């Protein structure tokens, strides 16, 4: 039986998925917007379909248009990638109803994890450590609220259950800020998500962001593929990621990895998933689960040689695959630098024509990118241009290899954050792995403030 996969995404991840499809002998349909006719992967797809105008709402987020493209091409399965519709449970549901396999977990699981209180409860039921807090309906009286805040202790983070990824949350450092914060966050959550249910957590100050890659076969078998450290970020946009996370307490890690696998087995989780944690003082605290492939998946692939995207396709299409934890081994260290089309110091997007560019190469260098000399970066989408991934036997040499890769890489015609990455590879705090989630924004970037 031959299969046809529609890739409902763009840019580097669409190319990544297309390459995996071709390796598995799958037919491919690449969809694109009017503003994306020059995307690299379109040239290698069996078929291409235009799904609408450049505006993402009218194309990559346009469910009827994508389903029509699937219909006319006689598609079997839809690959969502990350962003756009990847974690939209209604899209997953509509794919199934229309007779197309959604490549990912069931719409039910996507929906459960999309509700952060439900996700936290599911995590706790599998023995995953979570942040102490309060997730019942909040009382109205200040007296009852005071009892709750006294129990948790300030600082407290107020979070919307429909939020996530940094949206719908606020820190309160005293009771006045707390009362105001409840009201504001409720308002914002109602406006943004149409759901104003809140929950509370102790605010963890300056933690690291560690995540666990999981993978399930949808039938109750599941494995983990270790950790990633994604602490180097700005405004919830990761800049550098690495695998494995290092300097982690072994006992705490062992417990968390086993609990993550238990959760996936219990949910009969299908495909790739990421369980996110805050890590502080040798303790892990669950924050949320992402039910999609992530941008940073290559660093895990480079230390395990487990092809996550091929595995996603295999599980979804019922191709031969057996998941066995003992077959997963970890070797060396991998690091990823996200190259964005933006000013390196103001972070203002910089779309436009790439007049000239040269990719890095060599032993242990991976370049996941859709760009080429003459490609025009459209202004409508995420500014990710390329992921440079280096893999070696240990972190220090990984950084050296990344420096070389960055030196070789150049893009002319538009601004990129290339020079920021070069500075970070020389930064003492980063090189000593002493950074946390606030380091880049609160400390590192301050040296460039001239006001
Ligand atoms: C937190 C936290 C501190 N304490 N929860 C941000 C995104 C969402 N996934 C949850 N987030 C946070 N939750 C408690 N109880 C700090 C953050 C946070 C953060 C987490 C991971 C990576 C980057 C971050 C940047 C700012 C805040």
């Amino acid at each position: 039986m031959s299969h046809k996969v529609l890739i409902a995404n763009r840019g580097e991840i669409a190319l990544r998925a297309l390459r995996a499809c071709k390796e598995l002998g799958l037919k491919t349909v690449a969809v694109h917007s009017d503003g994306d006719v020059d995307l690299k992967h379109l040239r290698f797809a069996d078929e291409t379909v235009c799904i609408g105008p450049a505006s993402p709402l009218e194309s990559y987020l346009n469910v009827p248009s994508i389903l029509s493209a699937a219909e006319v091409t006689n598609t079997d399965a839809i690959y969502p990638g990350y962003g756009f519709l990847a974690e939209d449970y209604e899209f997953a549901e509509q794919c199934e109803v229309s007779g197309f396999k959604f490549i990912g977990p069931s719409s039910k699981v996507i929906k459960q994890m999309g509700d952060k209180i439900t996700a936290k409860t599911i995590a706790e039921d599998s023995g995953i450590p979570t942040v102490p807090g309060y997730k019942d309906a909040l009382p109205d009286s200040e007296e009852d609220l005071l009892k709750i805040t006294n129990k948790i202790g300030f600082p407290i983070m107020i979070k919307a259950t429909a939020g996530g990824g940094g949206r719908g949350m606020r820190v309160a450092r005293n009771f006045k800020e707390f009362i105001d914060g409840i009201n504001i966050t409720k308002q914002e959550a109602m406006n943004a998500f149409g759901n104003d249910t809140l929950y509370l957590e102790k605010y963890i100050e300056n933690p690291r962001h560690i995540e666990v890659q999981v993978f399930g076969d949808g039938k109750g078998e599941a494995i983990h593929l270790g950790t990633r450290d994604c602490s180097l970020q700005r405004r919830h946009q990761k800049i550098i990621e690495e695998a494995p996370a290092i300097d982690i307490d072994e006992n705490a890690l062992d417990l968390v990895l086993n609990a993550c696998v238990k959760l996936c087995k219990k949910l009969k989780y299908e495909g790739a998933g990421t369980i996110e944690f805050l890590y502080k003082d040798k303790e892990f605290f669950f924050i949320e689960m992402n039910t999609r492939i992530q941008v940073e998946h290559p660093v895990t692939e480079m230390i395990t040689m487990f092809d996550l995207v091929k595995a996603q396709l295999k599980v979804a299409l019922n191709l031969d695959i057996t998941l066995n934890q003992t077959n997963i081994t970890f070797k060396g260290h991998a690091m990823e630098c996200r190259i964005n089309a933006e000013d390196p110091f103001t972070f203002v997007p910089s779309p436009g024509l790439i007049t000239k560019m040269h990719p890095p190469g060599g032993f242990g260098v991976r370049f996941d990118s859709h760009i080429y000399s003459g490609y025009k970066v459209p202004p409508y989408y995420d500014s990710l241009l390329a992921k440079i991934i280096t893999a070696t036997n240990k972190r220090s040499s990984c950084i050296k290899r990344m420096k070389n890769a960055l030196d070789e890489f150049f893009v002319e015609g538009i601004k990129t954050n290339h020079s920021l990455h070069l500075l970070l590879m020389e930064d003492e705090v980063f090189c000593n792995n002493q950074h946390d989630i606030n380091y880049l924004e609160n400390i590192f970037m301050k040296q460039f403030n001239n006001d």
Side-chain angles (χ1 to χ4, degrees):
M1 187 163 61
S2 94
H3 287 289
K4 193 184 272 189
V5 175
L6 182 147
I7 300 166
N9 214 301
R10 64 177 306 284
E12 72 84 20
I13 194 64
L15 179 59
R16 169 76 186 86
L18 184 120
R19 286 170 173 156
C21 287
K22 287 178 72 164
E23 266 186 57
L24 291 173
L26 305 169
K27 289 272 178 288
T28 52
V29 179
V31 299
H32 63 88
S33 75
D34 281 337
D36 262 348
V37 293
D38 293 328
L39 279 177
K40 176 165 168 167
H41 78 292
L42 302 181
R43 303 170 193 216
F44 307 105
D46 294 302
E47 293 167 83
T48 64
V49 180
C50 180
I51 52 168
S55 156
L57 276 173
E58 295 178 274
S59 49
Y60 301 105
L61 291 168
N62 184 342
V63 174
S65 186
I66 291 166
L67 293 179
S68 302
E71 193 71 56
V72 300
T73 52
N74 206 13
T75 283
D76 297 302
I78 299 180
Y79 188 81
Y82 52 70
F84 297 123
L85 298 166
E87 288 177 288
D88 184 326
Y89 77 89
E90 288 174 305
F91 175 63
E93 210 169 74
Q94 287 209 52
C95 288
E96 302 300 342
V97 167
S98 311
F100 307 116
K101 171 68 187 157
F102 176 84
I103 301 173
S106 67
S107 59
K108 184 186 159 195
V109 169
I110 299 174
K111 186 178 187 178
Q112 285 177 320
M113 291 306 172
D115 184 276
K116 303 307 166 190
I117 294 177
T118 306
K120 190 171 179 179
T121 304
I122 290 172
E124 284 167 354
D125 289 346
S126 293
I128 295 180
T130 61
V131 192
Y134 188 88
K135 54 182 163 60
D136 294 332
L138 290 175
D140 289 324
S141 85
E142 293 207 1
E143 195 187 322
D144 291 337
L145 285 170
L146 185 62
K147 282 182 199 153
I148 294 167
T149 59
N150 279 341
K151 181 141 188 271
I152 302 170
F154 288 105
I156 289 173
M157 199 165 212
I158 305 162
K159 295 185 174 184
T161 194
R167 305 197 315 144
M169 51 182 231
R170 166 171 279 98
V171 184
R173 296 194 178 271
N174 55 55
F175 195 66
K176 187 193 174 324
E177 280 184 16
F178 177 75
I179 296 297
D180 295 344
I182 292 280
N183 293 319
I184 301 165
T185 314
K186 240 177 140 78
Q187 271 296 322
E188 285 175 351
M190 186 48 83
N191 291 336
F193 320 117
N195 173 355
D196 66 0
T197 304
L198 305 180
Y199 65 111
L200 309 175
E201 285 184 345
K202 178 86 182 178
Y203 178 62
I204 310 290
E205 306 253 20
N206 305 323
R208 286 159 68 188
H209 178 163
I210 310 291
E211 55 189 32
V212 174
Q213 177 71 55
V214 289
F215 196 91
D217 69 357
K219 296 171 188 151
E221 200 48 67
I223 55 172
H224 72 77
L225 296 116
T227 53
R228 293 187 287 259
D229 188 325
C230 309
S231 302
L232 208 94
Q233 58 88 43
R234 176 185 175 271
R235 301 195 185 166
H236 309 289
Q237 288 286 104
K238 294 164 185 165
I239 308 254
I240 298 175
E241 304 98 340
E242 41 193 309
I246 59 170
D247 300 330
I248 302 290
D249 182 81
E250 269 183 54
N251 293 322
L253 177 62
D254 198 55
L255 187 142
V256 157
L257 293 175
N258 287 322
C260 286
V261 172
K262 189 173 162 190
L263 179 149
C264 293
K265 287 181 173 173
K266 211 147 120 182
L267 292 182
K268 292 194 166 50
Y269 191 84
E270 179 174 330
T274 298
I275 305 184
E276 294 190 348
F277 294 90
L278 302 175
Y279 181 80
K280 177 93 191 272
D281 298 334
K282 305 189 178 196
E283 271 193 276
F284 282 92
F285 304 96
F286 169 90
I287 41 175
E288 48 197 71
M289 179 170 187
N290 302 320
T291 55
R292 59 163 195 276
I293 191 79
Q294 293 201 243
V295 176
E296 61 270 26
H297 76 275
V299 290
T300 297
E301 294 182 328
M302 298 319 286
I303 64 160
T304 59
M305 286 297 131
F306 184 87
D307 188 323
L308 285 160
V309 177
K310 254 163 73 175
Q312 284 185 297
L313 294 162
K314 282 185 174 183
V315 158
L317 299 172
N318 267 312
L319 307 178
D320 188 40
I321 183 170
T322 7
L323 301 180
N324 188 338
Q325 190 70 56
T326 58
N327 290 343
I328 306 297
T329 55
F330 301 91
K331 198 167 168 63
H333 196 88
M335 182 172 285
E336 171 178 284
C337 286
R338 293 192 193 188
I339 307 295
N340 297 324
E342 66 189 18
D343 182 282
F345 303 108
T346 66
F347 301 95
V348 172
S350 173
L353 182 69
I354 296 175
T355 51
K356 213 171 174 189
M357 91 100 184
H358 201 290
F363 183 31
V365 178
R366 172 174 169 180
F367 186 67
D368 276 24
S369 176
H370 57 295
I371 68 170
Y372 52 87
S373 292
Y375 176 68
K376 195 171 177 188
V377 180
Y380 315 102
Y381 315 105
D382 187 274
S383 64
L384 182 67
L385 288 181
K387 304 186 300 201
I388 302 175
I389 303 115
T390 57
T392 68
N393 59 339
K394 62 178 198 285
R395 188 173 189 269
S396 55
S397 51
C398 221
I399 292 173
K400 285 182 188 156
R401 190 162 285 176
M402 185 62 81
K403 272 186 212 164
N404 281 346
L406 287 164
D407 281 337
E408 285 181 27
F409 177 57
F410 75 82
V411 172
E412 280 176 15
I414 59 170
K415 287 196 252 185
T416 78
N417 61 351
H418 174 258
S419 57
L420 177 67
H421 281 297
L422 269 175
L423 291 172
L424 283 164
M425 291 306 128
E426 305 276 3
D427 183 68
E428 196 180 306
V429 174
F430 175 74
C431 289
N432 291 329
N433 203 38
Q434 286 165 337
H435 57 292
D436 59 46
I437 62 169
N438 298 309
Y439 177 68
L440 183 64
E441 208 168 344
N442 295 356
I443 302 171
F444 183 84
M445 291 313 295
K446 293 289 183 238
Q447 65 187 300
F448 310 111
N449 275 0
N450 44 14
D451 51 37

